[in-house]
Amino acid sequence: MIQAKGIAAFSAKEPLGPYSFTRRDPKDHDVVIDIKYCGICHSDIHTVRSEWGEAAYPVVPGHEIAGIVRAVGPKVTKYKVGQHVGVGCMVDSCQECAHCEQDLENYCLKGFTGTYNAMERDGSAPTQGGYSNVIVVREEFVLNIPEALPLDKAAPLLCAGITLYSPLRHWKAGPGKKVAIMGLGGLGHMGVKIARAMGADVTVLSHSDRKKEDALRMGAHHFVSTHDGSAFEKYAGQFDLIINTVSADLNMGDYFGLLKLDGSLVVVGLPENPLSISPFPLVMMRRSYAGSLIGGIMETQEMLDFCAKHNIAPEIEIVPPTQVNEAYTRVIKSDVRYRFVIDMSKIA
Ligand code: NAP
Ligand code: ZN
């Protein structure tokens, strides 16, 4: 077995702390990765605090992983030692259902295997994520990080990047389309940059005025603060597509009215409690309300290559592993500009 050092949650209420555990020795198709950086996604916080159901403690979170190949199993063909690679939210899937066959492992009919807080498909061990120094993953779930992307900035693309890229592609963001991004956090700021590069007209809907300058600097054409409610009248019927990245409870009915005839509001944010909706604004203008979950492996590679080509990277603040708990507190206060990334080389 391979010895691993990590940062784990031991219960919903305690702070995270150091944890030693083992990773499997590489099987034929496995890649052993020395983790250099791991992003902090709000999903890590929802999970370790058991906001989505009781977590299987101890949990080593982290699904925005960037690192360097340490070793490969004898039958690995796609990766070699020294290569820059990434791992996102999935480490396995059934690989044979209709959705996996369409490169939509994220919608695997038997359920994909999460990078942490899940069980390996053979039941051998719980999966543990990227707040650690090493991980072992089958090659089908490893991504190539293009040379143009530095590893620290590549990490958040593995979840935040693909979670916005996939719905923007699916709902055809591009020239002539008016796209709004709700919430300028880790996911939202990637949505702004990617939608802009796709050629859409981009608006940020934020719950205060504080991020206006940042949003415009990142490429948004317009910034709208929703805090006093006047925006819902002023911008009624404006958008083809709205993507909701907000991690907190909201009254969605207000937002449906911002869509044009046949517009779509796509939710990617996953707050603890159900969102309230009134069907009236949907019915009135044949509007759609939809959801989207990360993206498949092929599309994730496409997104990484797109970001490298268009010079797109997240805005990050690097923290040592000892400051994960402080970082969580700041994420919850929306006080992150715009993604924390843990420097895993500093793990004790
Ligand atoms: P984040 O960095 O904390 O960003 C969330 C943003 O929501 C904040 O920056 C803030 O933006 C807004 N917000 C926060 N509290 C709010 C409140 N009380 N009222 C209104 N707006 C508020 O989180 P993230 O990492 O981007 O993740 C966002 C959500 O997506 C989480 O629920 C996460 O679990 C989920 N997620 C889903 C997927 C998927 O595949 N569907 C993948 C990853 C994450 P403003 O300050 O601009 O308003
Ligand atoms: Zn995530």
Side-chain angles (χ1 to χ4, degrees):
M1 299 295 260
I2 298 171
Q3 286 302 318
K5 292 181 284 191
I7 301 290
F10 299 93
S11 78
K13 299 264 186 272
E14 286 166 276
L16 283 74
Y19 178 57
S20 294
F21 61 107
T22 54
R23 304 281 194 186
R24 65 174 180 267
D25 287 321
K27 295 188 278 192
D28 280 356
H29 290 281
D30 281 343
V31 180
V32 184
I33 302 164
D34 281 320
I35 300 175
K36 298 298 173 190
Y37 296 97
C38 185
I40 295 180
C41 177
H42 209 118
S43 301
D44 302 345
I45 304 175
H46 292 304
T47 304
V48 304
R49 298 195 171 180
S50 288
E51 290 174 359
W52 293 341
E54 183 67 16
Y57 302 102
V59 176
V60 178
H63 57 208
E64 295 186 337
I65 298 168
I68 299 176
V69 176
R70 181 198 289 187
V72 293
K75 294 195 176 149
V76 168
T77 56
K78 283 171 67 188
Y79 297 102
K80 52 181 193 296
V81 173
Q83 193 168 342
H84 286 193
V85 293
V87 178
C89 303
M90 306 180 281
V91 290
D92 208 349
S93 74
C94 83
Q95 298 279 289
E96 59 187 26
C97 72
H99 295 177
C100 284
E101 284 192 344
Q102 294 173 71
D103 298 303
L104 295 170
E105 305 86 352
N106 49 323
Y107 301 118
C108 173
L109 288 165
K110 294 180 185 155
F112 67 77
T113 305
T115 303
Y116 60 82
N117 196 38
M119 188 52 79
E120 293 288 358
R121 293 190 105 71
D122 61 7
S124 57
T127 59
Q128 299 289 12
Y131 297 6
S132 60
N133 65 329
V134 60
I135 192 167
V136 181
V137 180
R138 60 185 287 185
E139 66 176 322
E140 294 90 337
F141 288 82
V142 176
L143 285 306
N144 175 53
I145 295 182
E147 284 297 324
L149 293 173
L151 281 180
D152 53 358
K153 293 194 170 184
L157 299 177
L158 276 307
C159 174
I162 184 60
T163 300
L164 272 291
Y165 183 86
S166 185
L168 287 167
R169 276 286 308 261
H170 186 81
W171 276 273
K172 302 190 170 49
K177 290 285 176 73
K178 293 189 89 169
V179 173
I181 306 289
M182 289 168 60
L184 195 68
L187 268 56
H189 93 294
M190 290 316 307
V192 170
K193 292 182 182 215
I194 293 169
R196 171 84 194 221
M198 288 175 173
D201 181 87
V202 183
T203 300
V204 169
L205 303 172
S206 191
H207 78 301
S208 75
D209 288 324
R210 294 198 302 269
K211 298 176 181 170
K212 180 171 182 178
E213 269 178 40
D214 288 352
L216 299 178
R217 176 174 48 77
M218 286 173 198
H221 299 90
H222 320 279
F223 179 92
V224 175
S225 168
T226 54
H227 79 279
D228 67 1
S230 63
F232 296 109
E233 214 168 299
K234 189 165 170 205
Y235 296 92
Q238 294 265 323
F239 300 104
D240 298 284
L241 172 65
I242 301 176
I243 301 188
N244 173 15
T245 77
V246 174
S247 51
D249 307 338
L250 287 178
N251 179 2
M252 293 310 300
D254 292 340
Y255 291 87
F256 294 141
L258 299 176
L259 292 169
K260 291 181 182 171
L261 175 71
D262 288 332
S264 299
L265 194 154
V266 180
V267 59
V268 296
L270 292 165
E272 181 176 5
N273 299 311
L275 297 168
S276 63
I277 73 156
S278 158
F280 277 92
L282 290 177
V283 167
M284 303 304 276
M285 290 285 162
R286 203 165 56 188
R287 294 162 172 139
S288 301
Y289 189 31
S292 183
L293 182 69
I294 48 172
I297 294 295
M298 196 171 85
E299 194 175 39
T300 305
Q301 189 63 58
E302 181 187 302
M303 176 276 309
L304 288 167
D305 298 341
F306 179 91
C307 289
K309 182 174 164 204
H310 292 272
N311 224 342
I312 294 173
E315 310 211 347
I316 62 169
E317 183 174 336
I318 295 182
V319 291
T322 48
Q323 278 173 29
V324 167
N325 294 300
E326 290 82 351
Y328 274 24
T329 305
R330 286 183 50 199
V331 171
I332 287 162
K333 286 197 293 193
S334 299
D335 175 28
V336 46
R337 300 283 193 277
Y338 277 85
R339 198 58 143 187
F340 285 114
V341 171
I342 311 168
D343 180 352
M344 293 315 318
S345 70
K346 299 228 162 63
I347 195 156

